[in-house]
Amino acid sequence: MSEVKQNTYWKSLNELAKNQEYQKFVDREFPENASELTDGFSRRGFLGIMGSAVLLASCDFARRPVQKILPYSKQPEDIVPGIPLFYASAMPYQGSLTGLVVENHEGRPTKVEGNDLHPGSRGGTSIYNQASVLGMYDPDRSKKVLRKGTEATMDDFVAFAAEYFADTSKNIAFISEATSSPTLLRVKENALNKFNNATWVTYEAFGEDNALAGTELAFGRRLRAYYDYSKADVVVSLDDDMMSGNHPNSVEYAKQLSSRRKVTSTNDSMSRIYAVENGFTLTGSYADHRLRLKASEIEAFAYALAGELAKSISGLGAFSNANNAYSDHPWISALADDLLNNRGTSAVSVGFEHSANAHAIVAAINKALGNDGKTVSYLEVPHLDEQRKEAFANVVADMKAGSIDAVVMIGTNPSYSAQNVDFNAALENVEEVIHLSDYVNETSKNASWHVNRAHYLETWGDGHSFGGARSIIQPQIQPLYDGVNEIEFLNIIVNGELENAFDLVQDTFKGYFGSSFDTQWTNLLHDGIEPNTSFRSANVRLSNSFSPATPSTGSISGIEVVIRQDGTLNDGRYANIAWLQELPDPMTKITWDNVALMSAGTAKKLGVENEDVVEIKANGATIKIAAWIQPGHADDSITLTVGYGRDGIGRVANRYIDFTTGGVDTYPMLDANSLFSEATVSKTGDTYEIACVQDHHSLEGRDMYRMATLEEYKSNPDFASFADVHTYPVPGMKEAAELGEDAPISLFDEQTYPDSEPQWGMAIDLNSCFGCGVCVIACQSENNIPVIGKKEVNRGREMHWIRTDRYYVGEDENAPHAVHQPVPCMHCELAPCEQVCPVAATTHSDDGMNQMTYNRCIGTRYCANNCPYKVRRFNFFNFPKEFLITGDEPDIIQMAMNPEVTVRFRGVMEKCTYCVQRVNRAKIEAKIETGSPKPADGAVKTACQQACPADAIYFGDLTDDNSEVAKMKRNTRNYQMLEELNTRPRTSYMAKLRNPNPALA
C-alpha cells in the first residue's frame, strides 16, 4: 500500500513527540482506574463538585421518588400536557441582547434556541445562552434579601428605601453593569433628576470603553464600531476574538464570518481571514493566516500597517512617517496589498481591551480603505456615554474620600473584579452599600443591603441588540426565589415602592407605539423584536486634530502577563454553572481550572513543564498557578484568565481541597488601564494536577481530518475522497463492483429499511466549525447529561455525548494551524457496537438510527470497546439517587429536566441519539398532517444543529434528494471517518478549506 497523503494532525505536544507517557495512555482502551468504583464518594464531596450541574441528571427506574400526579382542575388555555410551547425572549450580556426562543413545558423553561428573526442570533446561540437555563435553576442562587448579612424581606428593603432616599440631597453613586434597556435608562434619568448629587457610572471589568474612546480620538465622537463580515472578502483581526462567546456580538459575527466560508462547488469563493494575537483564540484557529505576537506589540503592528497603507491611499497622512520594527515585517506588505486590493470589502478590527490609540488607528485604516458604511458602520449609541474607565476611578476616589453617602450597585461585582483599585477599602467609607446580584457574592458580602436578583427567564425586560434592534425579554416562569430585576430594583430606589416590571416595560413601549400599542405589543411578544429598529449610523470623518500616538515596539522587553476573560466562565459571572466548568476550553481542552498559558520557548526558558506551579508577580500582586504549554503562543508572553478562585459563591465555583480548587483568582494581576503588564515569573518546585481532555478518546493518528487550500480544491475536487488521500480504493470496493454493489461487501447481514420511513443522516461542515463548544452544551441541555467533576474527568469519564476535537496541524510546535472537529455518534449502518452487545441493548431502528435501550443494558462496555470512534459513555454514578431523593431541593432539580428524554441510571452506556425525541415529535406531526411519517426538510433539527452559530451541521432525511443533508452528502468534499472499516456511518464530514495568501505561503 502507498503512503497516506495527509497533513500531520496532533492534539498535544506529547502526541506530536510520541513520547512514552502518551503511548502508555493510548495503549489502554480505558484510562487507568477507569473501571474502578471504589472511590468512596462522600456526600459532601459529591455535592461540592456537582452543585447545579445535577439538576439535569436523570432519574433511576429502580429508585424513582414517589410523586403525586394531579390533573389540572381547570385546563389552561393553549396548554396540552406533553407538548411544549415556545416563547420569544432575549438574553442580556454586556449591554446587548441576543434573541432567543424558549422551550416551555407546562410553565417551566427547559431549553433555549436562537430566534431566527433576531439579528443578534439569526437562530444561533452562544455557550452562555445555552447554559443560562441551568443558571436559572441553580439552587445556590441568592434566595433572600439580606440586611448586613441577616435575613430580611423585600418589604423591609422597600420601606428602608422609601425612608432613606426621601432625602434627595444625598450624595449617591450608582454603579451599574452595562445595559441597553430603554426602561432601565428611563428610570435612571428619573433617578438623576430626583437626586441632585447623584452620579451614574457603568462598570465592566472587560467592556468596550477603550473602543469607544478610540473612535472619539479618531472621529471626535464615542461611536460603536459595528461590522458586517458577510460583506468582507478580507478580514484582519488584531487580537480581536470576535467569534468567542465573550464578545457581546459573537453569534451574529460568527454567522457572518462562516457565511463567507460556505463552499459547495469549485466555482465558489471564500473570504480570507488574518489573525495577529499572543495566544490561540477561536478566531485565530479559524483564520487562514495567524501570526503570534506579544499583546504589547499589537498596537505597534497596527501603526506599521497604517504606515504601509499611507504610501498608497489618502486619509492616512498622520502615519506617513511611520517606521518601526514591524515596518519591514513580511506580513505588513502582504496585508497592505490584500487590503488595498479589497478596498470597501475588507474589515480590520482590534480587541476591545487594547488601547484607545490602537482603536483610533484601526478606525483610520477602515475609513481610508473605504470600508465605512460597507463592512463597518459607526453607530450612535446614546447610553454608552457614561461608560468610561475614568468615571469609575473618580467614583472610587470619592468613596475613599468619604464624600459618598450611598452606593447603589446593579448587577456588577467590583469587589471581585476591581481589586486593582482596592474597591473594598473604598466601600468602608460609605454609609449605605446596596447591591443587586444573582449570588451572595464578594460585593454582596460587603454590602449593607443585598437584594436577590431575578433571572432573565423569570422577569420582564427590554433592550437592544449590538446593532440596535429593540427587543423584549419575556418571562417564562414566576421568579423561583421572589427576586426583582434591575428595573424594579432601581424603581424602588427612585420611587420607594415595588412596581411590577411588566407595567414599567409596557409604559416604555406605549411611548414608542402610541395609538397602535395593542397590535404592535402583541407582535412584539410573538416575534421578540421590534422590526426596523437599529442604532443610527453616523457619517464620520477623521478629526482635524487627529494625531495618533506613536507606540513603542516591544514596550515590555521581558515577560508580559496578559489578563483575559475565560473561554468558558467569562469574567466569573458564570462560575457556578457546572456545564461551563466542565466544558473543555476550546483551545487547551482544560476543564475546572485556569492555568498560565505560555509557549514552549518560554517554558524552556523558565525550566517548567505542564502542571509545574509558577509564581507570577505583576502590578504589586503575586499569584501561584500551574503552567501549561500552548502551541502557537507568543514567546515571553503569559496569558491568564479570570473567573476562578471564588469563595462562598456556590458549590460549583467554590474552592475545594479534595475535589476541585476552583482555580486561581487572577483579578489582582489586572491593570485597570491596560490589557498587559510587565511580570516576573519563577518556578516554585510544586506541581498541580490539571484535568485536560485533549488526549481522551484518542484515535491514535488514524485518518480523521481532511483539509486543503481553496486552490487545491479547485484543481482537485476529489481531494477528500478515500482513494485520493490513501492512494488506493476503499478495501472491498473492487469485489463489490464485480457483484454490482455500490458499497464494500460486509461480513454481517445488512439491514433493509422500509420505503415509508425516513432515513436520517448528518453532515458536518468543517469549513464552518470553529470549535466554540455550543453543540456540546446544547446536547447536554437537551438530553439531561450529568456533569461528573474534575476528579472523574481526569479518569476519562466525562459524559458529553458530543466532543469537539481540536487538532494542531503541521510539524512546528511554535506556529501550527489549529482545526476543530465535532464528533457525535456516527450512527453506523453496520454498527460494531451492535455486533458485540450480549443483550441487544443497542439496535437499529427502521429510520436508520443506532439506538440504545437503557433498561436492557447491563454495562459490559463491550460496545465502547468495539467502537472505533470512541463516542460511547459509561454512566458510573447514580446521580438521581443523590439528588432526587436525598439531595437538596429536589423540586427545583426536577423542574429543570427535559421530560421528553429517556431516563438513565448507573451502569448503562449512553451516546448521541440524533435527538430521537425531536425526530419522533416531527414524525408524529407529519403523520397527522400528511399521513406520511416523513417530515419536510428542516422540520427536524437536532440540538447541536439548531444551536450552532456557524450553521456547520446539516441533518435530515437521506431519502429526500432535495434535502440539505442529501446535497451535502453528494458534495465532493464529503467524506466518512474511517471509511475503510465499512461501518457505513450516517454522520459524515465536509473537508475543510483554507484560503491562504500566496505572498505568505
Side-chain angles (χ1 to χ4, degrees):
M1 293 185 180
S2 302
E3 186 176 350
V4 177
K5 297 194 306 182
Q6 65 177 37
N7 292 305
T8 300
Y9 296 95
W10 42 284
K11 289 184 177 181
S12 67
L13 292 172
N14 284 341
E15 183 175 2
L16 179 64
K18 291 291 190 293
N19 60 23
Q20 292 182 352
E21 180 183 350
Y22 176 77
Q23 285 302 128
K24 180 181 177 181
F25 181 89
V26 299
D27 284 347
R28 290 179 59 91
E29 179 64 32
F30 297 101
E32 195 169 348
N33 298 323
S35 60
E36 296 176 5
L37 277 171
T38 58
D39 300 284
F41 237 64
S42 69
R43 173 173 169 76
R44 173 188 173 276
F46 195 78
L47 287 170
I49 63 168
M50 299 302 294
S52 62
V54 297
L55 304 180
L56 298 194
S58 303
C59 179
D60 187 331
F61 281 119
R63 302 173 179 84
R64 187 191 301 257
V66 176
Q67 297 174 307
K68 303 294 184 181
I69 301 177
L70 301 176
Y72 287 115
S73 58
K74 182 178 181 181
Q75 180 73 30
E77 187 178 2
D78 298 329
I79 288 184
V80 178
I83 298 179
L85 298 176
F86 298 86
Y87 297 93
S89 190
M91 176 177 170
Y93 166 66
Q94 285 200 345
S96 297
L97 262 58
T98 301
L100 303 175
V101 174
V102 185
E103 181 176 351
N104 197 300
H105 288 268
E106 286 87 61
R108 54 188 181 90
T110 58
K111 183 73 168 62
V112 300
E113 307 293 356
N115 184 347
D116 291 330
L117 303 177
H118 198 281
S121 61
R122 297 296 183 199
T125 51
S126 73
I127 58 173
Y128 303 130
N129 301 146
Q130 289 294 329
S132 64
V133 172
L134 191 63
M136 188 195 74
Y137 289 113
D138 186 353
D140 292 330
R141 279 173 56 205
S142 174
K143 302 177 179 63
K144 300 289 183 181
V145 175
L146 300 177
R147 172 59 166 165
K148 296 182 179 179
T150 302
E151 185 176 318
T153 66
M154 191 65 68
D155 290 338
D156 294 334
F157 175 68
V158 173
F160 161 82
E163 179 182 353
Y164 185 81
F165 291 106
D167 181 358
T168 59
S169 64
K170 288 184 181 294
N171 294 310
I172 305 172
F174 292 94
I175 304 176
S176 170
E177 64 188 4
T179 181
S180 63
S181 167
T183 303
L184 181 66
L185 296 171
R186 179 170 61 83
V187 180
K188 165 198 159 185
E189 291 304 317
N190 294 340
L192 295 179
N193 289 333
K194 178 176 181 179
F195 303 110
N196 300 325
N197 298 317
T199 303
W200 186 288
V201 297
T202 300
Y203 171 73
E204 291 279 358
F206 299 87
E208 55 182 318
D209 309 34
N210 288 351
L212 298 170
T215 54
E216 189 172 27
L217 284 175
F219 304 131
R221 287 186 284 173
R222 290 171 69 82
L223 304 170
R224 172 181 286 170
Y226 177 58
Y227 291 85
D228 187 350
Y229 292 113
S230 66
K231 298 177 181 177
D233 294 323
V234 173
V235 176
V236 179
S237 163
L238 301 178
D239 205 15
D240 181 17
D241 193 10
M242 76 286 282
M243 303 184 82
S244 164
N246 291 328
H247 193 289
N249 201 37
S250 65
V251 178
E252 183 176 11
Y253 284 166
K255 286 273 183 183
Q256 294 172 353
L257 284 161
S258 61
S259 71
R260 293 301 313 277
R261 314 280 284 184
K262 303 289 184 185
V263 177
T264 57
S265 75
T266 55
N267 296 321
D268 292 340
S269 62
M270 59 188 277
S271 64
R272 178 175 294 140
I273 303 175
Y274 301 87
V276 184
E277 57 192 21
N278 80 306
F280 240 126
T281 65
L282 287 176
T283 304
S285 70
Y286 198 58
D288 299 293
H289 291 285
R290 178 182 178 273
L291 176 65
R292 61 190 190 121
L293 211 64
K294 291 173 70 173
S296 57
E297 297 169 342
I298 295 292
E299 184 179 339
F301 185 90
Y303 193 84
L305 177 60
E308 184 69 18
L309 290 169
K311 299 175 182 178
S312 304
I313 54 176
S314 60
L316 294 174
F319 304 93
S320 57
N321 296 319
N323 184 30
N324 62 31
Y326 298 104
S327 298
D328 296 326
H329 195 286
W331 266 60
I332 292 295
S333 57
L335 277 178
D337 289 343
D338 216 358
L339 290 170
L340 290 169
N341 291 332
N342 291 275
R343 279 178 269 188
T345 59
S346 58
V348 184
S349 68
V350 64
F352 277 171
E353 295 307 308
H354 281 278
S355 70
N357 194 57
H359 283 276
I361 295 170
V362 166
I365 290 174
N366 279 318
K367 181 62 179 176
L369 288 170
N371 297 331
D372 172 38
K374 298 173 183 175
T375 60
V376 58
S377 302
Y378 294 96
L379 305 181
E380 297 175 350
V381 186
H383 61 266
L384 294 180
D385 187 59
E386 75 285 348
Q387 189 167 327
R388 299 173 185 266
K389 287 184 176 180
E390 59 270 24
F392 176 71
N394 292 337
V395 164
V396 174
D398 290 340
M399 292 163 57
K400 289 181 178 178
S403 56
I404 300 293
D405 297 317
V407 174
V408 179
M409 288 177 282
I410 305 173
T412 187
N413 185 14
S415 287
Y416 176 55
S417 60
Q419 298 177 46
N420 44 30
V421 296
D422 205 3
F423 187 80
N424 286 342
L427 287 180
E428 293 175 359
N429 299 313
V430 178
E431 180 183 7
E432 290 289 349
V433 178
I434 304 169
H435 188 222
L436 174 76
S437 64
D438 302 284
Y439 297 88
V440 183
N441 58 28
E442 291 85 350
T443 302
S444 297
K445 292 170 184 175
N446 291 305
S448 52
W449 280 99
H450 160 76
V451 179
N452 55 313
R453 185 181 189 179
H455 194 270
Y456 83 92
L457 290 171
E458 300 173 328
T459 186
W460 288 93
D462 53 12
H464 295 267
S465 70
F466 195 75
R470 196 154 49 227
S471 311
I472 194 75
I473 299 174
Q474 190 172 181
Q476 306 298 310
I477 193 171
Q478 186 78 11
L480 296 174
Y481 306 124
D482 297 323
V484 295
N485 72 357
E486 58 276 9
I487 297 171
E488 296 165 327
F489 171 75
L490 184 58
N491 190 67
I492 292 172
I493 301 294
V494 176
N495 297 319
E497 60 183 28
L498 177 58
E499 187 174 352
N500 192 287
F502 175 74
D503 297 325
L504 294 167
V505 171
Q506 270 208 339
D507 288 344
T508 300
F509 280 88
K510 285 176 181 176
Y512 295 137
F513 296 155
S515 59
S516 61
F517 170 78
D518 290 340
T519 300
Q520 292 194 61
W521 177 256
T522 301
N523 293 336
L524 177 67
L525 296 185
H526 180 272
D527 297 342
I529 185 171
E530 184 182 349
N532 304 317
T533 53
S534 63
F535 295 133
R536 182 175 176 272
S537 182
N539 294 318
V540 297
R541 63 182 181 85
L542 287 179
S543 302
N544 295 330
S545 60
F546 176 61
S547 179
T550 303
S552 59
T553 54
S555 56
I556 294 180
S557 57
I559 293 180
E560 68 176 15
V561 62
V562 183
I563 311 296
R564 299 190 185 277
Q565 293 163 283
D566 189 72
T568 56
L569 302 191
N570 194 260
D571 58 2
R573 69 186 67 190
Y574 305 122
N576 209 56
I577 300 179
W579 287 347
L580 297 175
Q581 286 272 11
E582 195 151 295
L583 177 69
D585 179 272
M587 296 309 303
T588 66
K589 296 301 172 182
I590 289 173
T591 70
W592 290 98
D593 273 301
N594 54 346
V595 291
L597 292 175
M598 62 186 70
S599 69
T602 303
K604 184 177 181 180
K605 180 187 296 185
L606 296 172
V608 300
E609 298 179 349
N610 283 349
E611 299 185 340
D612 284 343
V613 175
V614 294
E615 182 179 82
I616 303 176
K617 296 180 179 180
N619 291 320
T622 302
I623 65 168
K624 293 182 180 180
I625 189 169
W628 196 263
I629 300 172
Q630 174 72 70
H633 200 283
D635 291 333
D636 292 330
S637 180
I638 292 180
T639 300
L640 303 174
T641 60
V642 300
Y644 295 85
R646 313 292 296 276
D647 279 318
I649 304 305
R651 284 163 286 187
V652 173
N654 287 353
R655 289 185 283 189
Y656 281 86
I657 295 174
D658 51 352
F659 285 94
T660 173
T661 68
V664 177
D665 181 9
T666 59
Y667 267 117
M669 313 290 288
L670 181 65
D671 187 327
N673 299 308
S674 178
L675 170 69
F676 46 84
S677 305
E678 188 168 2
T680 59
V681 187
S682 59
K683 183 179 178 179
T684 66
D686 297 327
T687 60
Y688 174 76
E689 189 176 33
I690 296 295
C692 180
V693 304
Q694 62 186 357
D695 286 329
H696 292 189
H697 315 299
S698 177
L699 299 171
E700 302 184 43
R702 287 180 282 183
D703 173 31
M704 317 308 306
Y705 202 94
R706 295 177 191 173
M707 178 173 65
T709 67
L710 183 62
E711 291 306 314
E712 289 170 343
Y713 168 58
K714 289 184 175 182
S715 62
N716 178 21
D718 296 319
F719 78 92
S721 67
F722 183 93
D724 193 81
V725 172
H726 292 264
T727 68
Y728 59 87
V730 177
M733 281 300 297
K734 179 180 178 181
E735 293 78 5
E738 294 174 355
L739 298 175
E741 302 288 341
D742 58 0
I745 298 172
S746 170
L747 296 175
F748 306 104
D749 293 335
E750 300 184 24
Q751 181 168 338
T752 58
Y753 303 99
D755 293 337
S756 60
E757 288 285 338
Q759 296 303 307
W760 303 107
M762 178 178 285
I764 301 176
D765 188 356
L766 299 177
N767 212 40
S768 296
C769 176
F770 59 95
C772 63
V774 171
C775 54
V776 179
I777 299 294
C779 176
Q780 195 159 19
S781 175
E782 173 74 17
N783 294 293
N784 300 344
I785 299 173
V787 170
I788 61 172
K790 176 182 174 180
K791 183 177 181 179
E792 300 307 312
V793 169
N794 254 333
R795 294 182 170 184
R797 292 172 173 175
E798 60 267 26
M799 295 294 295
H800 295 140
W801 285 3
I802 180 172
R803 70 178 190 269
T804 305
D805 288 338
R806 182 267 299 117
Y807 295 99
Y808 296 113
V809 188
E811 302 287 351
D812 186 358
E813 66 182 43
N814 291 316
H817 295 293
V819 293
H820 306 273
Q821 184 176 40
V823 184
C825 174
M826 297 291 115
H827 287 269
C828 309
E829 290 191 36
L830 301 177
C833 55
E834 295 179 14
Q835 312 302 331
V836 296
C837 181
V839 292
T842 178
T843 55
H844 241 66
S845 66
D846 284 342
D847 49 1
M849 293 191 293
N850 176 246
Q851 296 186 331
M852 278 295 303
T853 306
Y854 295 119
N855 64 345
R856 184 181 293 169
C857 176
I858 59 174
T860 63
R861 288 177 285 170
Y862 297 161
C863 56
N865 193 41
N866 214 39
C867 175
Y869 307 99
K870 310 302 180 192
V871 292
R872 288 177 166 259
R873 307 289 176 259
F874 184 71
N875 194 338
F876 278 87
F877 297 107
N878 191 358
F879 305 108
K881 178 184 178 182
E882 186 71 39
F883 285 88
L884 295 185
I885 300 175
T886 60
D888 295 345
E889 305 189 59
D891 293 338
I892 296 295
I893 292 171
Q894 292 175 58
M895 287 175 68
M897 294 183 186
N898 182 355
E900 296 185 335
V901 175
T902 304
V903 295
R904 284 97 64 193
F905 45 92
R906 181 175 63 190
V908 302
M909 296 300 304
E910 301 186 11
K911 69 170 195 69
C912 157
T913 65
Y914 272 170
C915 289
V916 64
Q917 66 278 7
R918 294 186 175 204
V919 169
N920 287 338
R921 185 197 303 166
K923 288 175 67 176
I924 292 170
E925 292 174 354
K927 182 83 175 198
I928 293 172
E929 295 174 2
T930 67
S932 169
K934 293 188 175 185
D937 188 39
V940 183
K941 288 188 176 182
T942 61
C944 57
Q945 174 195 15
Q946 189 165 10
C948 179
D951 298 317
I953 301 175
Y954 300 85
F955 179 80
D957 182 6
L958 299 178
T959 66
D960 179 1
D961 289 339
N962 294 318
S963 67
E964 288 296 319
V965 69
K967 293 176 183 177
M968 294 299 109
K969 297 279 189 181
R970 293 195 296 268
N971 193 282
T972 55
R973 285 198 296 126
N974 186 70
Y975 75 94
Q976 295 177 359
M977 189 185 287
L978 304 181
E979 187 175 0
E980 67 271 25
L981 299 182
N982 195 28
T983 61
R984 303 182 195 176
R986 287 287 181 95
T987 297
S988 61
Y989 294 89
M990 307 283 289
K992 183 176 177 64
L993 298 176
R994 295 177 55 242
N995 185 20
N997 184 343
L1000 293 175

